[in-house]
């Protein structure tokens, strides 16, 4: 029996499609996984860990070129820890700025919702209860 997870199992576990996993492999973001006796990809827990990190970086808006650079640093070993830390600090700052902007956007949306609730209350007080409609 082959060890490791199939591409379908990894896709189900991560929420990525098999197509996306193969694309990440072609783009150099994932090392080609080992192959089972039947020639199918078999992913290890190490592969899965890398896929999870890759997914987090992409979902937080890191461009593919930066993700590739990050994993090149990882591949080069511990001596690149300062570069990896700097890259992640820069990305963290960008994510924090996006969160702050989203919080401002959310506050504006909440304000609009409140103003429409007030308009609805005023309208309901003037217009009275809605008329019952007869079935069509």
């Amino acid at each position: 029996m082959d060890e490791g997870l199939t591409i379908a199992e990894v896709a189900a576990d991560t929420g990525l499609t098999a197509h996306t996993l193969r694309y990440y492999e072609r783009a150099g973001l994932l090392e080609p996984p080992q192959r089972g006796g039947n020639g199918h990809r078999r992913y290890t827990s190490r592969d899965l860990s890398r896929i999870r990190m890759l997914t987090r970086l992409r979902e937080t808006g890191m461009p593919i070129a930066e993700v590739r650079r990050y994993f090149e640093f990882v591949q080069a070993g511990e001596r690149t820890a300062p570069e990896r830390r700097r890259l992640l600090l820069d990305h963290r700052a960008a994510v924090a700025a996006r969160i702050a902007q989203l919080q401002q956007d959310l506050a504006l949306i909440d304000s609009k919702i409140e103003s429409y609730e007030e308009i609805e209350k005023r309208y309901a007080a003037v217009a009275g209860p809605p008329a019952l409609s007869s079935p069509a």
Side-chain angles (χ1 to χ4, degrees):
M1 180 173 162
D2 290 332
E3 295 210 16
L5 300 172
T6 66
I7 196 166
E9 291 169 328
V10 171
D13 186 77
T14 62
L16 299 174
T17 65
H19 174 78
T20 299
L21 290 165
R22 287 188 293 268
Y23 167 75
Y24 284 161
E25 186 181 327
R26 283 191 313 274
L29 299 173
L30 294 175
E31 295 175 23
Q34 298 210 2
R35 302 283 180 146
N38 59 5
H40 294 175
R41 290 169 173 83
R42 302 304 293 192
Y43 293 87
T44 65
S45 60
R46 184 172 181 257
D47 294 327
L48 202 52
S49 177
R50 184 174 176 136
I51 291 165
R52 287 192 177 113
M53 182 64 176
L54 166 60
T55 302
R56 293 278 71 81
L57 294 174
R58 290 293 298 138
E59 286 183 358
T60 56
M62 184 179 277
I64 286 179
E66 287 296 299
V67 174
R68 184 178 295 114
R69 199 165 137 229
Y70 172 79
F71 282 118
E72 286 170 356
F73 288 145
V74 169
Q75 189 68 26
E78 287 186 0
R79 66 182 172 80
T80 64
E83 290 87 351
R84 284 185 265 172
R85 187 173 65 81
R86 170 60 29 208
L87 192 146
L88 291 176
L89 281 170
D90 290 346
H91 183 62
R92 185 189 188 289
V95 170
R98 282 188 27 239
I99 289 170
Q101 182 62 55
L102 285 171
Q103 288 173 330
Q104 291 176 9
D105 297 342
L106 184 58
L108 175 63
I109 291 167
D110 287 342
S111 173
K112 282 299 192 185
I113 290 170
E114 288 173 17
S115 69
Y116 292 134
E117 287 172 348
E118 289 301 316
I119 292 170
E120 288 176 28
K121 287 177 188 174
R122 285 196 312 268
Y123 180 76
V126 172
L132 297 175
S133 60
S134 59

